[in-house]
Amino acid sequence: MLRNGLEPWHLLIVAIVVIVLFGSKKLPDTARALGKSMRILKSEAKAMKDEGPAAPTAHTVVEPTEVGKGAAAS
């Protein structure tokens, strides 16, 4: 039964269940939003790739300060 993996009729059943659960009216809106998100993700990934490795930035080291001893004793 599972040796062939997903067969076309399995996908048909899944598609029917999705249509029944979410309704045919919301599916185009959902697909449109998913497509828009994928385009944004793809463009951001491409921009990061084109940008190349970031130049090393200088990190400022901040030394901790001592708390006034007189305030801690009271």
Side-chain angles (χ1 to χ4, degrees):
M1 182 173 170
L2 291 175
R3 64 181 181 189
N4 290 336
L6 287 176
E7 294 183 11
W9 65 274
H10 290 127
L11 298 175
L12 180 64
I13 291 174
V14 169
I16 290 172
V17 169
V18 167
I19 290 172
V20 168
L21 288 177
F22 295 107
S24 60
K25 187 173 184 176
K26 287 191 175 186
L27 287 178
D29 295 336
T30 305
R32 192 173 302 115
L34 181 63
K36 185 177 181 182
S37 298
M38 292 300 294
R39 281 191 299 273
I40 291 170
L41 178 66
K42 186 177 178 181
S43 68
E44 291 296 325
K46 185 175 186 281
M48 287 177 62
K49 185 178 178 183
D50 291 343
E51 187 176 286
T57 58
H59 294 286
T60 305
V61 178
V62 178
E63 295 292 327
T65 59
E66 289 186 33
V67 177
K69 294 179 182 176
S74 45

